[in-house]
Amino acid sequence: MGPVTTTPQELEQTPASLADRAYVAIQDLLIMLDIPPMAPIDDAALSESLGIGRTPVREALKRLQGERLVVSYPRRGTFATGVDITDLAYISEIRVQLEPLAARRAAQAAGREVKAQLAELADQIEALDVTTLDRSDLMRWDLHVHRAIYRAAGNPHLEDTLVRYDNLATRIFCLFLDRMQHFDRHVGEHVALLRGIAEGEADKVAKLAREHVIGFEKAIRSAT
């Protein structure tokens, strides 16, 4: 199979409103640590760099505050939240319960077309040459796989919750990625998970999803 040329960004839908565009763009900057932890956030500078008005940017920052990606202090301004390794246990405690649930639901409830898309995504992931990808591309593929599974589960409340905690986990991931070994194994685990969902193997994928979260936490702790 040849190299994959599609990027994960090209697989996502373009947000409709200016506020949604600002939200997606700033969220990406925060998750990928392009806005570093604890850095002050200048809404005027963000507005200029994104080509989006200050009102949509401010609306986006309010949404992101609710997701624990930014924090606002009276008379001090808005800052990116810190990335604290002590949060990993709390985040993993939630994900180890909900990631298997999402994988199981996707295997049981997703329609034929969605499962075909997940199988195709598995092929794309398998064809990736991890050694040639930079950190941002690796993280975006990781995010795209998880979001595809959450969406396939067919429960919007579960999806929203998992997206939030996966975002927080990804910030920790980005912080320690350069110290981690065998990242290719982490990426490779997505292939079996996606194919298992596509084939309707509910028990199998629930187990794989749980092992994936546990393995992620162990890999981060070994890199600290």
Side-chain angles (χ1 to χ4, degrees), residues 137-218:
D137 285 338
L138 284 169
M139 290 297 94
R140 288 191 175 96
W141 277 111
D142 187 85
L143 286 166
H144 180 65
V145 168
H146 283 277
R147 276 153 181 67
I149 294 171
Y150 304 158
R151 196 174 304 117
N155 182 331
H157 301 288
L158 178 62
E159 180 180 357
D160 288 347
T161 301
L162 276 169
V163 165
R164 171 176 172 171
Y165 287 104
D166 188 48
N167 287 344
L168 297 174
T170 300
R171 294 185 83 217
I172 298 173
F173 206 167
C174 286
L175 192 64
F176 293 101
L177 179 60
D178 292 340
R179 305 183 210 171
M180 290 179 63
Q181 298 179 344
H182 308 303
F183 182 78
D184 55 328
R185 295 180 188 172
H186 180 84
V187 174
E189 289 173 4
H190 290 151
V191 175
L193 185 57
L194 289 165
R195 286 188 176 147
I197 293 171
E199 294 167 10
E201 298 173 321
D203 291 339
K204 176 182 177 179
V205 296
K207 181 180 178 182
L208 288 174
R210 185 175 187 277
E211 291 172 348
H212 187 68
V213 174
I214 293 171
F216 169 77
E217 182 176 9
K218 287 180 178 178

Side-chain angles (χ1 to χ4, degrees), residues 58-137:
R58 288 171 177 167
E59 290 175 6
L61 291 172
K62 287 180 182 178
R63 287 175 65 183
L64 293 164
Q65 186 172 351
E67 297 176 11
R68 296 181 179 267
L69 290 173
V70 302
V71 59
S72 182
Y73 300 104
R75 297 181 297 278
R76 287 183 56 198
T78 301
F79 298 79
T81 53
V83 175
D84 191 339
I85 190 63
T86 59
D87 287 336
L88 180 61
Y90 300 132
I91 295 167
S92 296
E93 185 177 28
I94 296 167
R95 293 182 70 223
V96 80
Q97 299 296 325
L98 296 186
E99 293 274 355
L101 174 61
R104 178 184 293 278
R105 280 188 57 87
Q108 293 173 332
R112 183 178 300 176
E113 182 177 350
V114 170
K115 287 183 175 179
Q117 292 170 352
L118 295 179
E120 182 179 352
L121 181 55
D123 291 341
Q124 291 179 308
I125 298 297
E126 189 173 43
L128 289 174
D129 183 352
V130 175
T131 62
T132 66
L133 299 179
D134 63 24
R135 184 184 73 172
S136 293
D137 285 338

